[in-house]
Amino acid sequence: MPEYFSIESEQMQALTRRVEELRNWLKEHAPNCEVAQKHLDEGTAEQAYWHFGYLCALRDVNSMLSQRSAE
């Protein structure tokens, strides 16, 4: 049976803030990236960086949740 958990309000707010910060940064520095979607092109540097960024995001969330369960 899967184990269910809830994300504390403070953690959810931190994630929401980070999403907004990244959205604003992208709007300013790379406004066309959402339309271009170059990370979908097989074998490109954009695809590798997208996967690496996603891996980092998953690690960060995993770390945050692990710290919460250790408390």
Side-chain angles (χ1 to χ4, degrees):
M1 183 168 190
E3 198 174 307
Y4 294 97
F5 59 90
S6 64
I7 297 177
E8 297 296 324
S9 178
E10 184 178 318
Q11 292 168 319
M12 196 64 203
Q13 289 172 1
L15 287 172
T16 301
R17 269 193 313 274
R18 188 64 180 136
V19 166
E20 191 59 30
E21 290 168 0
L22 286 171
R23 184 178 291 134
N24 289 334
W25 187 92
L26 286 168
K27 186 185 286 187
E28 182 178 339
H29 297 282
N32 197 36
C33 73
E34 194 170 352
V35 175
Q37 298 287 306
K38 290 184 179 183
H39 67 283
L40 298 175
D41 296 338
E42 189 68 35
T44 61
E46 289 86 355
Q47 187 178 55
Y49 281 109
W50 186 91
H51 283 288
F52 181 71
Y54 189 61
L55 173 63
C56 290
L58 290 173
R59 285 177 178 167
D60 288 347
V61 171
N62 191 32
S63 175
M64 183 189 327
L65 295 175
S66 294
Q67 288 174 5
R68 181 186 178 277
S69 66
E71 294 174 354

